[in-house]
Amino acid sequence: MTGFDERFLTRNGLAARQLAVLLLNHEPDTRLPRVRDFAEELGVGNGTVQAALQLLETAGAIRTTARGHLGTFLVHSDRSVLWRLSGLGTLLAAMPLPYSHRYEGLATGLRAAFEQAGAPFAITFMRGAGARTTALIEGKVDLVVLSRFAADRLIEERPVELVADLGPATYVGAHGLLLRHGAALEAKGLRVAVDHASEDQRMLAERVFAGRTDIEWVEASYMQLRDLFAHDRVDATLWNLDEVQDRLGAGVDVLPLGDEVTRDLSLRNSSAAIIGRTEGAKALGAVRDSLDLSVITTCQAEVLRGERAPSY
């Protein structure tokens, strides 16, 4: 079915479109719910459900077979057709600006995984986890990519839920403590760069320098760090090393992070998480179980090794 079929504007057709959403969560060679169960969930009659299933078969979206007392089984489903009929539209994901190969690889993997899942997918790039989450809550995007560290906090505070955790080193490679050469961490009035648009960087910086009432916080983005260090305007910061690699010059030392708590926070910060709205997100449920996370991480690793050109 290449165009829109007017049969899907009828009563039976509307039920078929609702069924398409439900069937996106069923894998081939699995038993389908009974007709009366579908009817109860959709609030229609059994005959309407049977007609809707027939419409989906005619459209090439599904193929079923009856196996006697075992029930009706889904033999085949074309997820791209089901998705188009469902009316869920294109999923829009917001993620950080693709300034590093790691983010380029992540974007490449996300596109490949969603295409494999049969879901139309697009990416918009937005700086700052807070800005991305606001866009999610307001319904401007369907999914948000951020660190697991930031996701955990947002899940506690906002009506969002975790869709996937991609594991360590998928969001950032590592964080380090950046110190201007010749500066002492213990010095009073230490000038520390912080980016309040980045929830991850801010929370990590505040944890590293917790208890220091003498700190002078300097608002800065990663693009400003080289000049700030070179012109002696900041002494230290904690930052994603993917961002600053080869960009800071010889006058900045990179130190390992300190205590176990900070290392744990940095580990969660390195893991990419995908979150979505808790309520009213049918599209979220439709892709959750069919999304192959290994496709994302494999593509990202290939981009990082230079074996695959970024494509997003």
Side-chain angles (χ1 to χ4, degrees):
M1 194 180 90
T2 56
F4 190 79
D5 192 326
E6 290 187 358
R7 290 176 300 173
F8 286 89
L9 294 177
T10 65
R11 177 184 175 83
N12 293 340
L14 293 176
R17 295 169 67 183
Q18 291 177 296
L19 268 179
V21 177
L22 300 179
L23 291 171
L24 282 166
N25 292 315
H26 290 274
E27 294 296 323
D29 204 32
T30 58
R31 187 174 64 183
L32 292 175
R34 297 170 299 181
V35 167
R36 65 172 175 266
D37 294 330
F38 274 140
E40 183 177 343
E41 183 166 358
L42 299 181
V44 298
N46 291 350
T48 299
V49 170
Q50 290 170 335
L53 286 169
Q54 184 58 48
L55 267 178
L56 292 175
E57 294 225 25
T58 303
I62 61 171
R63 191 166 71 251
T64 64
T65 185
R67 296 181 182 173
H69 69 279
L70 293 177
T72 299
F73 280 70
L74 181 66
V75 177
H76 168 77
S77 66
D78 187 323
R79 293 185 60 84
S80 62
V81 176
L82 282 172
W83 195 281
R84 184 165 64 249
L85 292 174
S86 72
L88 292 174
T90 298
L91 282 172
L92 181 61
M95 66 172 290
L97 303 177
Y99 54 74
S100 70
H101 286 310
R102 196 173 307 273
Y103 283 164
E104 287 188 317
L106 182 56
T108 301
L110 285 168
R111 175 170 290 283
F114 276 94
E115 286 180 353
Q116 180 176 294
F121 180 75
I123 299 174
T124 184
F125 298 100
M126 301 174 65
R127 179 170 171 263
R132 295 195 294 277
T133 304
T134 297
L136 177 66
I137 299 300
E138 293 177 350
K140 296 176 181 177
V141 300
D142 302 294
L143 300 166
V144 162
V145 179
L146 69 178
S147 75
R148 180 60 192 268
F149 182 25
D152 286 343
R153 185 183 65 81
L154 289 168
I155 289 168
E156 293 178 355
E157 300 175 356
R158 309 293 291 272
V160 299
E161 61 184 72
L162 184 69
V163 176
D165 182 333
L166 301 180
T170 52
Y171 193 68
V172 299
H175 281 82
L177 185 60
L178 309 181
L179 185 66
R180 183 175 54 81
H181 191 67
L185 278 176
E186 302 79 14
K188 292 185 68 65
L190 193 73
R191 298 165 299 174
V192 178
V194 63
D195 182 1
H196 284 92
S198 169
E199 295 290 313
D200 305 325
Q201 194 272 340
R202 178 186 61 79
M203 288 188 287
L204 278 171
E206 289 176 353
R207 180 61 64 94
V208 169
F209 295 102
R212 292 281 301 270
T213 58
D214 63 305
I215 293 294
E216 178 186 340
W217 297 104
V218 179
E219 184 67 29
S221 73
Y222 79 94
M223 294 177 290
Q224 299 170 308
L225 287 181
R226 184 184 183 95
D227 285 341
L228 291 173
F229 275 114
H231 293 93
D232 191 19
R233 293 174 184 165
V234 298
D235 302 306
T237 191
L238 181 120
W239 221 275
N240 166 13
L241 298 183
D242 287 338
E243 293 182 349
V244 299
Q245 189 175 21
D246 302 323
R247 299 180 186 178
L248 293 181
V252 181
D253 300 321
V254 179
L255 306 179
L257 297 181
D259 58 54
E260 291 296 331
V261 173
T262 303
R263 278 195 290 271
D264 171 63
L265 290 173
S266 184
L267 181 64
R268 286 190 289 135
N269 197 299
S270 80
S271 298
I274 305 172
I275 62 173
R277 288 185 299 279
T278 301
E279 298 297 331
K282 290 182 180 179
L284 178 60
V287 298
R288 187 194 299 275
D289 295 333
S290 60
L291 197 62
D292 187 345
L293 302 184
S294 68
V295 171
I296 304 175
T297 53
T298 297
C299 287
Q300 184 182 49
E302 290 172 351
V303 170
L304 285 171
R305 292 194 300 265
E307 299 170 357
R308 183 186 186 115
S311 176
Y312 50 88

Short mmCIF file of all heavy atoms in Angstrom, two decimals, residues 147-172:
data_model
loop_
_atom_site.label_atom_id
_atom_site.label_comp_id
_atom_site.label_asym_id
_atom_site.label_seq_id
_atom_site.Cartn_x
_atom_site.Cartn_y
_atom_site.Cartn_z
N SER A 147 22.51 12.00 29.44
CA SER A 147 23.26 11.02 30.24
C SER A 147 22.32 10.29 31.20
O SER A 147 21.28 10.81 31.59
CB SER A 147 24.36 11.72 31.03
OG SER A 147 23.80 12.42 32.13
N ARG A 148 22.72 9.09 31.61
CA ARG A 148 21.92 8.36 32.59
C ARG A 148 21.90 9.12 33.91
O ARG A 148 20.92 9.08 34.66
CB ARG A 148 22.50 6.95 32.79
CG ARG A 148 21.73 6.09 33.80
CD ARG A 148 20.28 5.91 33.36
NE ARG A 148 19.45 5.34 34.40
CZ ARG A 148 19.21 4.04 34.56
NH1 ARG A 148 19.77 3.16 33.73
NH2 ARG A 148 18.44 3.62 35.52
N PHE A 149 22.98 9.81 34.20
CA PHE A 149 23.08 10.63 35.41
C PHE A 149 21.97 11.67 35.44
O PHE A 149 21.21 11.78 36.41
CB PHE A 149 24.47 11.29 35.40
CG PHE A 149 24.78 12.15 36.60
CD1 PHE A 149 24.17 11.96 37.82
CD2 PHE A 149 25.74 13.15 36.50
CE1 PHE A 149 24.49 12.74 38.92
CE2 PHE A 149 26.07 13.93 37.58
CZ PHE A 149 25.44 13.73 38.79
N ALA A 150 21.82 12.43 34.35
CA ALA A 150 20.77 13.44 34.27
C ALA A 150 19.39 12.80 34.19
O ALA A 150 18.42 13.30 34.76
CB ALA A 150 21.01 14.35 33.06
N ALA A 151 19.29 11.66 33.49
CA ALA A 151 18.00 10.99 33.33
C ALA A 151 17.44 10.54 34.69
O ALA A 151 16.25 10.69 34.95
CB ALA A 151 18.15 9.78 32.41
N ASP A 152 18.30 9.99 35.54
CA ASP A 152 17.85 9.52 36.85
C ASP A 152 17.19 10.65 37.65
O ASP A 152 16.16 10.46 38.29
CB ASP A 152 19.02 8.94 37.65
CG ASP A 152 19.46 7.58 37.12
OD1 ASP A 152 18.68 6.97 36.38
OD2 ASP A 152 20.58 7.16 37.45
N ARG A 153 17.81 11.82 37.62
CA ARG A 153 17.26 12.96 38.36
C ARG A 153 15.95 13.43 37.75
O ARG A 153 14.97 13.70 38.46
CB ARG A 153 18.28 14.11 38.38
CG ARG A 153 17.84 15.29 39.25
CD ARG A 153 18.84 16.42 39.17
NE ARG A 153 18.90 16.98 37.83
CZ ARG A 153 18.02 17.86 37.35
NH1 ARG A 153 17.00 18.25 38.09
NH2 ARG A 153 18.16 18.34 36.13
N LEU A 154 15.89 13.49 36.42
CA LEU A 154 14.69 13.97 35.75
C LEU A 154 13.51 13.02 35.94
O LEU A 154 12.37 13.45 36.07
CB LEU A 154 14.97 14.17 34.26
CG LEU A 154 15.88 15.36 33.93
CD1 LEU A 154 16.34 15.29 32.49
CD2 LEU A 154 15.18 16.67 34.21
N ILE A 155 13.79 11.72 35.97
CA ILE A 155 12.72 10.74 36.16
C ILE A 155 12.07 10.91 37.53
O ILE A 155 10.86 10.70 37.70
CB ILE A 155 13.28 9.31 35.98
CG1 ILE A 155 13.60 9.07 34.50
CG2 ILE A 155 12.31 8.26 36.49
CD1 ILE A 155 14.41 7.82 34.24
N GLU A 156 12.84 11.33 38.52
CA GLU A 156 12.31 11.57 39.86
C GLU A 156 11.45 12.82 39.91
O GLU A 156 10.53 12.91 40.72
CB GLU A 156 13.46 11.70 40.86
CG GLU A 156 14.25 10.42 41.09
CD GLU A 156 15.40 10.63 42.05
OE1 GLU A 156 15.61 11.80 42.46
OE2 GLU A 156 16.08 9.65 42.41
N GLU A 157 11.75 13.78 39.05
CA GLU A 157 11.13 15.10 39.15
C GLU A 157 10.07 15.39 38.10
O GLU A 157 9.17 16.21 38.32
CB GLU A 157 12.21 16.19 39.06
CG GLU A 157 13.27 16.11 40.16
CD GLU A 157 14.37 17.12 39.95
OE1 GLU A 157 14.35 17.82 38.90
OE2 GLU A 157 15.26 17.23 40.82
N ARG A 158 10.15 14.75 36.95
CA ARG A 158 9.28 15.09 35.83
C ARG A 158 8.52 13.85 35.33
O ARG A 158 8.94 12.71 35.60
CB ARG A 158 10.10 15.69 34.66
CG ARG A 158 11.04 16.83 35.06
CD ARG A 158 10.30 18.08 35.50
NE ARG A 158 9.62 18.72 34.40
CZ ARG A 158 10.17 19.63 33.60
NH1 ARG A 158 11.44 20.00 33.77
NH2 ARG A 158 9.48 20.20 32.65
N PRO A 159 7.43 14.04 34.60
CA PRO A 159 6.65 12.90 34.08
C PRO A 159 7.31 12.27 32.85
O PRO A 159 6.77 12.28 31.74
CB PRO A 159 5.30 13.53 33.74
CG PRO A 159 5.64 14.94 33.37
CD PRO A 159 6.77 15.34 34.29
N VAL A 160 8.51 11.74 33.05
CA VAL A 160 9.25 11.09 31.97
C VAL A 160 9.69 9.71 32.46
O VAL A 160 9.74 9.45 33.66
CB VAL A 160 10.48 11.91 31.53
CG1 VAL A 160 10.05 13.27 31.00
CG2 VAL A 160 11.47 12.08 32.68
N GLU A 161 10.01 8.83 31.51
CA GLU A 161 10.45 7.50 31.89
C GLU A 161 11.60 7.05 30.99
O GLU A 161 11.78 7.57 29.89
CB GLU A 161 9.30 6.51 31.80
CG GLU A 161 8.70 6.36 30.43
CD GLU A 161 7.51 5.42 30.45
OE1 GLU A 161 6.45 5.82 30.98
OE2 GLU A 161 7.63 4.30 29.92
N LEU A 162 12.35 6.09 31.50
CA LEU A 162 13.51 5.57 30.78
C LEU A 162 13.06 4.64 29.67
O LEU A 162 12.29 3.72 29.89
CB LEU A 162 14.43 4.84 31.76
CG LEU A 162 15.76 4.32 31.19
CD1 LEU A 162 16.68 5.50 30.85
CD2 LEU A 162 16.44 3.39 32.18
N VAL A 163 13.56 4.89 28.46
CA VAL A 163 13.30 4.01 27.33
C VAL A 163 14.45 3.03 27.16
O VAL A 163 14.26 1.85 26.92
CB VAL A 163 13.11 4.81 26.03
CG1 VAL A 163 12.93 3.89 24.83
CG2 VAL A 163 11.92 5.76 26.16
N ALA A 164 15.69 3.53 27.32
CA ALA A 164 16.86 2.67 27.14
C ALA A 164 18.08 3.28 27.81
O ALA A 164 18.21 4.50 27.91
CB ALA A 164 17.14 2.46 25.65
N ASP A 165 18.96 2.41 28.28
CA ASP A 165 20.28 2.78 28.79
C ASP A 165 21.29 2.06 27.91
O ASP A 165 21.30 0.83 27.85
CB ASP A 165 20.43 2.36 30.25
CG ASP A 165 21.77 2.76 30.86
OD1 ASP A 165 22.76 2.88 30.10
OD2 ASP A 165 21.85 2.95 32.08
N LEU A 166 22.13 2.80 27.22
CA LEU A 166 23.04 2.21 26.24
C LEU A 166 24.37 1.77 26.83
O LEU A 166 25.19 1.17 26.13
CB LEU A 166 23.28 3.19 25.09
CG LEU A 166 22.02 3.61 24.34
CD1 LEU A 166 22.37 4.59 23.23
CD2 LEU A 166 21.30 2.40 23.76
N GLY A 167 24.60 2.07 28.11
CA GLY A 167 25.80 1.57 28.76
C GLY A 167 26.95 2.55 28.76
O GLY A 167 26.92 3.60 28.09
N PRO A 168 28.01 2.26 29.56
CA PRO A 168 29.15 3.17 29.73
C PRO A 168 29.82 3.54 28.41
O PRO A 168 29.87 2.75 27.47
CB PRO A 168 30.11 2.35 30.61
CG PRO A 168 29.23 1.40 31.34
CD PRO A 168 28.14 1.04 30.37
N ALA A 169 30.30 4.78 28.37
CA ALA A 169 31.08 5.32 27.25
C ALA A 169 30.27 5.48 25.97
O ALA A 169 30.83 5.64 24.89
CB ALA A 169 32.32 4.48 26.99
N THR A 170 28.93 5.48 26.06
CA THR A 170 28.11 5.73 24.89
C THR A 170 27.70 7.20 24.79
O THR A 170 27.35 7.68 23.71
CB THR A 170 26.84 4.85 24.89
OG1 THR A 170 26.15 5.01 26.14
CG2 THR A 170 27.20 3.40 24.67
N TYR A 171 27.75 7.91 25.90
CA TYR A 171 27.40 9.34 25.90
C TYR A 171 28.66 10.20 25.86
O TYR A 171 28.78 11.11 25.06
CB TYR A 171 26.56 9.67 27.13
CG TYR A 171 25.90 11.03 27.07
CD1 TYR A 171 24.88 11.28 26.16
CD2 TYR A 171 26.27 12.05 27.93
CE1 TYR A 171 24.26 12.52 26.09
CE2 TYR A 171 25.66 13.30 27.87
CZ TYR A 171 24.66 13.52 26.96
OH TYR A 171 24.04 14.76 26.90
N VAL A 172 29.58 9.91 26.75
CA VAL A 172 30.90 10.54 26.73
C VAL A 172 31.93 9.46 27.04
O VAL A 172 31.63 8.44 27.65
CB VAL A 172 31.04 11.70 27.73
CG1 VAL A 172 30.05 12.80 27.43
CG2 VAL A 172 30.87 11.20 29.16
#
